[in-house]
Amino acid sequence: MKTGVIQKYRERLPLTKATPDLSLGEGDTPLVKSVHIGNMLGCAELYFKLEGCNPTGSFKDRGMVVAVAKAAENRTNGIICASTGNTSSSAAAYGAIAKIPTIVIVPEGKTSTSKLAQANMYGAKVVMIDAGFDQALELCLEISKTKSLTIVNSINTDRLHGQKTAAFEVVESLEDAPDILSIPIGNGGNFSSYWLGFTEARKAGLAST
């Protein structure tokens, strides 16, 4: 059974003895060597990190478990996020196991029903607004300040620290940092997390590059 990123990487995360050890079994995802695509690209070794194997199907579970655990430690009134899909699922799942009220603000008509299914199943309060994601995030910021809620979008630094654990796993599997990391970028939070992880791994003597 997976231990989860908090238990496995506790010493590398901004945690205290009071931080609850939450987990849905996130992290420890496979790093699979490419059989065909690497050859097509002329790459001697190409690997895929299968982050879809996380509990809600997203890399965001790594950061969310840390963000929610810290929110619980700080006795927040609830957690809140803006989302077009994956963040809502992850926030709702970890809010549920931490028994913290969860609010998800979603741009109406811009998110598929299937992406919101997990948020609804985990009991989050889903609020649709007639605006885009940026406006939804601004609304989250306003509400979080007035209602003493913890915002768990990637502007939450605890989330970035949780997501950096993917970089540590890559280094552990390859016994060094990769020459190139290629990932899709939304607002850049996951890119920043990998950079943080690889940088810390190098400082700890786990990676040479």
Side-chain angles (χ1 to χ4, degrees):
M1 182 177 179
K2 294 182 179 180
T3 59
V5 301
I6 287 181
Q7 185 173 336
K8 183 176 180 180
Y9 294 105
R10 178 171 283 275
E11 294 182 357
R12 302 192 184 282
L13 296 170
L15 309 176
T16 70
K17 292 181 178 179
T19 308
D21 187 11
L22 299 181
S23 179
L24 284 171
E26 67 290 327
D28 196 23
T29 59
L31 187 68
V32 179
K33 188 174 183 179
S34 169
V35 177
H36 300 295
I37 299 177
N39 291 333
M40 291 170 58
L41 297 175
C43 180
E45 292 188 63
L46 175 66
Y47 296 86
F48 296 101
K49 185 70 168 161
L50 305 187
E51 288 291 82
C53 295
N54 280 300
T56 71
S58 169
F59 70 86
K60 296 184 179 183
D61 293 343
R62 294 177 178 275
M64 196 62 70
V65 67
V66 177
V68 173
K70 291 297 290 184
E73 177 185 352
N74 295 327
R75 300 183 183 278
T76 188
N77 288 331
I79 59 175
I80 188 170
C81 70
S83 177
T84 55
N86 292 329
T87 300
S88 65
S89 301
S90 191
Y94 287 95
I97 64 167
K99 299 180 180 179
I100 295 175
T102 303
I103 300 172
V104 177
I105 299 181
V106 178
E108 188 170 8
K110 298 181 180 180
T111 306
S112 68
T113 302
S114 61
K115 285 191 173 183
L116 291 175
Q118 289 190 74
N120 287 315
M121 287 189 291
Y122 281 115
K125 181 176 179 58
V126 179
V127 180
M128 300 281 189
I129 64 169
D130 184 17
F133 175 82
D134 289 341
Q135 289 73 31
L137 184 58
E138 289 176 5
L139 182 57
C140 283
L141 288 167
E142 292 178 14
I143 296 174
S144 67
K145 293 175 183 177
T146 58
K147 301 296 183 181
S148 297
L149 303 176
T150 301
I151 188 165
V152 291
N153 282 95
S154 57
I155 58 175
N156 182 316
T157 57
D158 292 323
R159 255 194 63 181
L160 299 184
H161 279 284
Q163 287 167 206
K164 77 183 179 186
T165 59
F168 277 101
E169 288 180 11
V170 171
V171 169
E172 290 163 7
S173 296
L174 300 179
E175 298 183 346
D176 205 344
D179 295 325
I180 298 173
L181 173 71
S182 178
I183 55 176
I185 293 180
N187 60 10
N190 204 35
F191 177 86
S192 300
S193 298
Y194 269 94
W195 177 257
L196 178 62
F198 288 135
T199 299
E200 291 185 7
R202 183 179 182 181
K203 288 180 179 178
L206 302 176
S208 60
T209 58

